[in-house]
Amino acid sequence: MEGKNSTAVSQINSQSQAKAGPSNSQTLNMEKATIHDSIVGTQGNVTVINNFAPSNQSSGKPTESCSDNHLQEAVNLIQQQQLEKLESSLVLHGLTVDESKIPKVYQSLAESNIYKVEDPPIREPFYPSTKGQGIQKFKTFKAIDFNKMLVTMMGVGFLALVGPPGCGKTLLAKRLAKFTNYFVIFLRFMDLGYETVLTPQELLIDYPFKDVDQTTRENAFQWMVKNQEKCVFVLDGYDQWSLSLSERRADMSYEKPSPIQQLVANLCCKNLFQKSLLIFTSRPHAILSIPLSLRPNRTVVVGDLPPDGMRELFNAFAGDQAENLWTTWNSNAPQLIQLCHNPLLLQLVVYAGLSGNVDQLNTITKVFLQFLQQLENSVHKKGLKFHALIQPLGGMAYDGMDRQTVVFTSDDLEKTGLDDVNVQDFVIKVASWTSLFEGDQATFYFIHQSLQEMFAAMYICMKMPDSEFNNIIHQVVYESHWSMVRRFMCGLLLGGDPKQGKSEKLRTQLTEFMKRDLKTHQLTDLLSDLQECSDDEKDSLAKFFPVRFDFSLTPITSSTAHALGQILPKLNRPVEWLILESCNLNLESLQMICKGISNLKNKIEFLALRLIKYGDDGVGFVSLCLNNAPKLWLDGCEISATGLKVLCEEIKHVEIPMEFLDLSRNKFGDEGVEFVCNCLNNVRKLRLEDCGISDDGKRILREELQRLGLPLSTIWGLWKEDGSFYSENSDSDNES
């Protein structure tokens, strides 16, 4: 990063990058390169082949004829410029870490196509009645290896890399740009504020690499047009863009200038660079604002740090205080432990614990406040107190949120009465865009968008006049791009002693919001909001909380799972349905949710824990739900006969017979038939499709039903109405 930002964060490693030369390869020593970071990393030497030999395939019309050697030399030079632009990995200012002791941990990555349809409203649960019903619309989430992502995704065309704030999307995108066999252009949406029309070459080459001579830029662009199948365009932070995508233009060409929205839209729908791969990184809610015709073909969801890896990182950052912090929070504030599965929040939580009163830290709002207040000790603050910055910086942050921008000019900062020297621990000077804007306006942004959102929340809660607050509170609660601001506001206004007026207004708006049919991302945001509230506020707001939870194809983080497990026992109404379908739950998250279900005050009418591959290890947790879930879907969860034995034994002891149980697509085979027979009296309807049961096993089940005097319709999916057996190979239900 340029400007006076060296004090805001500590770089983990120094760069060591090979210079581009006439050869087609460069070796990058990963032990010394910036990719050796605290969150995601790889050890050893990696040889990156610049496999940029021109192909005979082309699309579009190059600006002028040039030899292949000249084109290749140009693209090699642009690539080297790109590597030099990507800044080092960062550790939060104030954390002292021996980089050699930082473990290499990868977040979970899961691929799907969840954004190819409109986000549906809460839907009625699917009640199967006959074999073969159900339509396969999505694949389940599939784990993906980061090192193979580009190779496996090149044919996709348009990919979204999504996840919550602080999960490491940008860091992963930079890794993609640094170490790959493909030619990668990395751009940030926050930099794409162009007010004039421009050509594809200006967008992708001329403006990002303006220090390179014009001939080289033109030759590099010619190479890109001729070698589209070797090009990857990474556009980072779609949720930070102040513009919206326009519909594509049929007459788009490589020479014709167009507004930036149309250029990006035509990259999305492949009117430009048809054979390339385009990658957006974004928070999930922003992808839903893209017109359906321009949506990504596939999505890779950046998930949690794995439990063991998270604990290793926690220990590395916390040092000799790790055990004390872990024990204290695990006992008094387990929600903070769950937040540590997020890379950014992990560092913030540890930093706050090392610098403040551990016993008083129980929400992410308090963690951020502790982090910001501690920066008063910085030598660069020139004696300014943290609270003195709430009015000026908070007002600027709020204005940026209102305009949906994370980028500010020096004029914005000067209006606050401060300058970048006074506040450089919060705001970083980025660049001077003299070629794009009139004058010589320096531009700024907060070191992380979450800090802008925190300052905006503090301004709204502490400094904004009541009359203005009353006018804007509805949009803050209802509009998705304010979700993090709203979360911090819950902590500031509802997390302790209520503040008359604003607290009541926020509470009223939240209760009205909860009465709506919320979309999935709104529901997960709301669960996070309640984690910031005091226990009394949680109990009060739980009276209005929705009782329809549909998390189909929605990755559930450890923090969301903890929040859901905490709110369920507080509900004073029966839960109509809870659908956790193909949502990438790990065992720890499954346990937290099932424990919450077991403590419900009322039974849940419909529970689906389906297409989650928890296997036999999760059966014990699922068994906690049996008395509170008379209709239970457990299909496609990789339960074997071993797990089925445990489950059926628990079903034998339920207080009231279950109305419905779906065990389809769990391959327990004939070995599980005996266990099923032992619990038939306690299940009124049982679905057993595609379980690997042979005709002999089906006969045993049918004979047991006859012996018990139960109708054949007690079991679905094994035989037809005339009593003949279904063939699983030809007639199995493909619903997923």
Side-chain angles (χ1 to χ4, degrees):
M1 287 182 252
E2 299 178 40
K4 304 167 185 174
N5 65 325
S6 60
T7 60
V9 285
S10 302
Q11 295 186 352
I12 296 181
N13 301 322
S14 60
Q15 287 186 321
S16 177
Q17 298 173 336
K19 297 295 182 183
S23 66
N24 288 342
S25 68
Q26 54 181 299
T27 300
L28 304 177
N29 189 325
M30 301 274 286
E31 291 179 337
K32 298 181 180 178
T34 60
I35 203 60
H36 184 102
D37 60 80
S38 64
I39 305 303
V40 181
T42 304
Q43 300 184 75
N45 295 327
V46 174
T47 301
V48 181
I49 306 299
N50 284 343
N51 194 11
F52 300 153
S55 70
N56 295 325
Q57 299 173 342
S58 67
S59 189
K61 186 183 298 182
T63 53
E64 64 176 283
S65 176
C66 188
S67 72
D68 288 345
N69 286 338
H70 284 113
L71 299 185
Q72 186 169 327
E73 289 173 2
V75 83
N76 283 344
L77 181 59
I78 292 294
Q79 185 203 30
Q80 181 59 32
Q81 285 270 329
Q82 175 78 96
L83 290 173
E84 293 173 355
K85 282 176 176 286
L86 297 178
E87 63 265 22
S88 299
S89 306
L90 305 174
V91 170
L92 287 177
H93 174 58
L95 282 175
T96 303
V97 185
D98 181 349
E99 65 184 60
S100 66
K101 296 181 179 179
I102 298 176
K104 306 301 177 291
V105 179
Y106 288 85
Q107 305 99 314
S108 66
L109 300 174
E111 177 256 326
S112 188
N113 52 357
I114 56 177
Y115 293 116
K116 286 308 291 178
V117 297
E118 294 286 1
D119 191 35
I122 294 294
R123 60 184 172 90
E124 293 291 331
F126 171 64
Y127 290 91
S129 57
T130 59
K131 186 178 179 67
Q133 288 189 346
I135 300 173
Q136 182 175 356
K137 292 184 178 179
F138 297 99
K139 297 177 181 178
T140 59
F141 282 98
K142 180 178 68 175
I144 187 169
D145 184 346
F146 172 80
N147 294 312
K148 299 178 181 178
M149 185 185 302
L150 289 185
V151 174
T152 58
M153 293 295 175
M154 279 304 296
V156 166
F158 183 13
L159 173 71
L161 191 63
V162 305
C167 69
K169 300 181 294 293
T170 297
L171 179 59
L172 291 172
K174 289 176 181 176
R175 282 180 55 81
L176 287 174
K178 285 181 178 181
F179 302 104
T180 178
N181 293 339
Y182 297 97
F183 177 66
V184 182
I185 295 292
F186 181 94
L187 303 175
R188 299 182 306 181
F189 271 106
M190 69 167 66
D191 297 336
L192 306 184
Y194 310 133
E195 297 178 353
T196 182
V197 296
L198 62 167
T199 65
Q201 178 178 321
E202 289 172 325
L203 170 66
L204 299 171
I205 296 293
D206 289 352
Y207 287 174
F209 305 100
K210 58 188 176 185
D211 294 334
V212 178
D213 67 272
Q214 181 178 353
T215 299
T216 298
R217 297 199 305 264
E218 290 177 351
N219 288 345
F221 189 76
Q222 285 189 52
W223 182 95
M224 291 163 58
V225 173
K226 295 177 68 176
N227 296 273
Q228 297 180 24
E229 70 281 359
K230 299 174 184 176
C231 294
V232 179
F233 306 115
V234 179
L235 274 62
D236 181 48
Y238 179 70
D239 55 290
Q240 298 175 337
W241 203 23
S242 58
L243 303 175
S244 299
L245 287 178
S246 300
E247 289 295 334
R248 59 195 179 197
R249 283 179 49 178
D251 61 342
M252 182 64 64
S253 72
Y254 289 93
E255 297 83 21
K256 188 173 184 178
S258 301
I260 179 66
Q261 301 99 310
Q262 291 188 356
L263 275 181
V264 176
N266 279 273
L267 286 172
C268 293
C269 66
K270 314 312 292 181
N271 280 351
L272 294 171
F273 291 98
Q274 181 180 7
K275 298 178 181 179
S276 67
L277 175 63
L278 173 67
I279 300 176
F280 278 14
T281 74
S282 179
R283 296 183 185 182
H285 72 83
I287 299 296
L288 295 172
S289 68
I290 298 177
L292 189 58
S293 62
L294 301 179
R295 293 269 183 92
N297 298 320
R298 296 284 178 83
T299 300
V300 170
V301 177
V302 182
D304 285 339
L305 296 168
D308 291 344
M310 181 270 280
R311 182 65 190 271
E312 290 182 50
L313 285 172
F314 185 98
N315 292 342
F317 285 120
D320 57 8
Q321 291 297 310
E323 192 61 35
N324 177 54
L325 292 178
W326 186 273
T327 301
T328 300
W329 284 329
N330 205 38
S331 175
N332 301 334
Q335 60 271 24
L336 289 188
I337 295 295
Q338 300 308 321
L339 288 169
C340 289
H341 288 279
N342 177 293
L344 172 67
L345 298 185
L346 166 64
Q347 295 191 56
L348 282 167
V349 168
V350 171
Y351 179 88
L354 293 175
S355 59
N357 189 332
V358 179
D359 295 329
Q360 294 182 2
L361 291 173
N362 57 7
T363 66
I364 198 61
T365 303
K366 291 179 180 178
V367 166
F368 267 77
L369 287 173
Q370 178 64 34
F371 170 71
L372 294 174
Q373 288 170 342
Q374 195 64 22
L375 290 180
E376 286 185 354
N377 299 328
S378 170
V379 297
H380 309 286
K381 294 293 301 310
K382 308 218 174 202
L384 282 174
K385 294 296 184 181
F386 164 63
H387 285 284
L389 295 173
I390 296 177
Q391 177 79 40
L393 275 189
M396 187 180 80
Y398 166 75
D399 181 65
M401 292 299 302
D402 191 44
R403 294 186 287 117
Q404 300 192 44
T405 185
V406 297
V407 179
F408 305 92
T409 68
S410 56
D411 284 344
D412 294 321
L413 197 57
E414 288 171 5
K415 290 175 185 176
T416 70
L418 299 169
D419 57 52
D420 62 301
V421 175
N422 296 122
V423 295
Q424 61 184 294
D425 283 318
F426 304 115
V427 180
I428 293 177
K429 186 174 181 180
V430 186
S432 180
W433 290 346
T434 54
S435 62
L436 306 181
F437 298 98
E438 294 182 1
D440 188 9
Q441 303 284 342
T443 58
F444 299 83
Y445 63 95
F446 285 80
I447 57 177
H448 194 275
Q449 185 177 343
S450 295
L451 287 178
Q452 177 182 341
E453 291 161 324
M454 182 63 186
F455 267 100
M458 289 189 294
Y459 172 77
I460 293 170
C461 296
M462 301 176 186
K463 299 297 182 180
M464 179 177 282
D466 287 350
S467 58
E468 185 178 357
F469 179 92
N470 295 339
N471 288 332
I472 63 97
I473 185 60
H474 183 274
Q475 84 177 63
V476 170
V477 169
Y478 281 75
E479 295 180 9
S480 293
H481 85 277
W482 291 95
S483 60
M484 278 299 293
V485 174
R486 188 184 71 194
R487 183 176 181 180
F488 290 133
M489 287 175 62
C490 286
L492 294 168
L493 294 178
L494 304 178
D497 296 331
K499 298 167 181 61
Q500 296 299 323
K502 289 183 177 180
S503 295
E504 184 59 35
K505 285 283 186 181
L506 176 58
R507 189 182 302 111
T508 299
Q509 287 292 332
L510 283 173
T511 56
E512 291 300 315
F513 182 59
M514 287 190 284
K515 295 175 184 178
R516 297 162 57 97
D517 280 341
L518 300 180
K519 295 183 178 181
T520 302
H521 70 277
Q522 294 172 318
L523 191 55
T524 55
D525 288 342
L526 195 55
L527 286 167
S528 296
D529 294 344
L530 264 65
Q531 289 291 86
E532 301 303 299
C533 299
S534 67
D535 288 340
D536 288 343
E537 290 288 355
K538 288 178 186 175
D539 291 338
S540 176
L541 291 170
K543 299 175 184 177
F544 307 96
F545 207 84
V547 289
R548 295 180 175 184
F549 301 86
D550 186 352
F551 296 106
S552 302
L553 292 151
T554 302
I556 301 296
T557 65
S558 295
S559 179
T560 299
H562 181 272
L564 180 58
Q566 291 291 303
I567 196 63
L568 285 171
K570 295 180 181 294
L571 302 178
N572 58 2
R573 297 175 292 159
V575 176
E576 294 185 26
W577 60 74
L578 171 55
I579 304 173
L580 292 161
E581 177 181 313
S582 186
C583 55
N584 242 24
L585 275 184
N586 59 35
L587 283 173
E588 183 183 24
S589 296
L590 178 68
Q591 181 182 18
M592 289 185 286
I593 294 172
C594 290
K595 185 177 179 180
I597 294 171
S598 70
N599 291 321
L600 278 168
K601 297 174 183 176
N602 301 281
K603 291 184 183 296
I604 186 170
E605 297 179 15
F606 176 101
L607 174 62
L609 300 171
R610 61 188 304 262
L611 299 172
I612 310 169
K613 304 193 182 303
Y614 47 75
D616 295 341
D617 292 336
V619 168
F621 304 141
V622 173
S623 297
L624 297 173
C625 307
L626 294 177
N627 279 313
N628 281 339
K631 297 175 183 176
L632 180 58
W633 271 250
L634 302 177
D635 49 314
C637 296
E638 299 187 348
I639 300 172
S640 74
T642 301
L644 182 67
K645 180 180 180 180
V646 174
L647 181 67
C648 291
E649 189 64 29
E650 293 297 326
I651 292 174
K652 285 167 57 178
H653 298 98
V654 294
E655 298 168 358
I656 301 173
M658 299 183 66
E659 295 179 33
F660 182 83
L661 175 64
D662 190 349
L663 293 172
S664 299
R665 289 180 289 280
N666 291 296
K667 301 290 187 177
F668 44 77
D670 289 350
E671 187 180 354
V673 167
E674 175 187 354
F675 310 132
V676 173
C677 288
N678 290 336
C679 68
L680 285 176
N681 269 328
N682 271 17
V683 180
R684 295 192 175 116
K685 294 288 183 181
L686 178 62
R687 198 180 190 200
L688 296 176
E689 294 178 16
D690 194 18
C691 294
I693 300 174
S694 70
D695 288 352
D696 288 340
K698 295 173 185 178
R699 290 189 187 95
I700 292 173
L701 285 168
R702 189 164 60 184
E703 290 169 1
E704 182 64 13
L705 289 175
Q706 292 170 343
R707 188 185 72 80
L708 294 171
L710 299 173
L712 290 182
S713 59
T714 299
I715 297 179
W716 295 352
L718 297 185
W719 41 73
K720 304 175 184 178
E721 291 183 4
D722 62 5
S724 61
F725 296 142
Y726 280 114
S727 171
E728 291 191 347
N729 291 332
S730 60
D731 295 325
S732 62
D733 189 345
N734 290 322
E735 180 203 356
S736 66

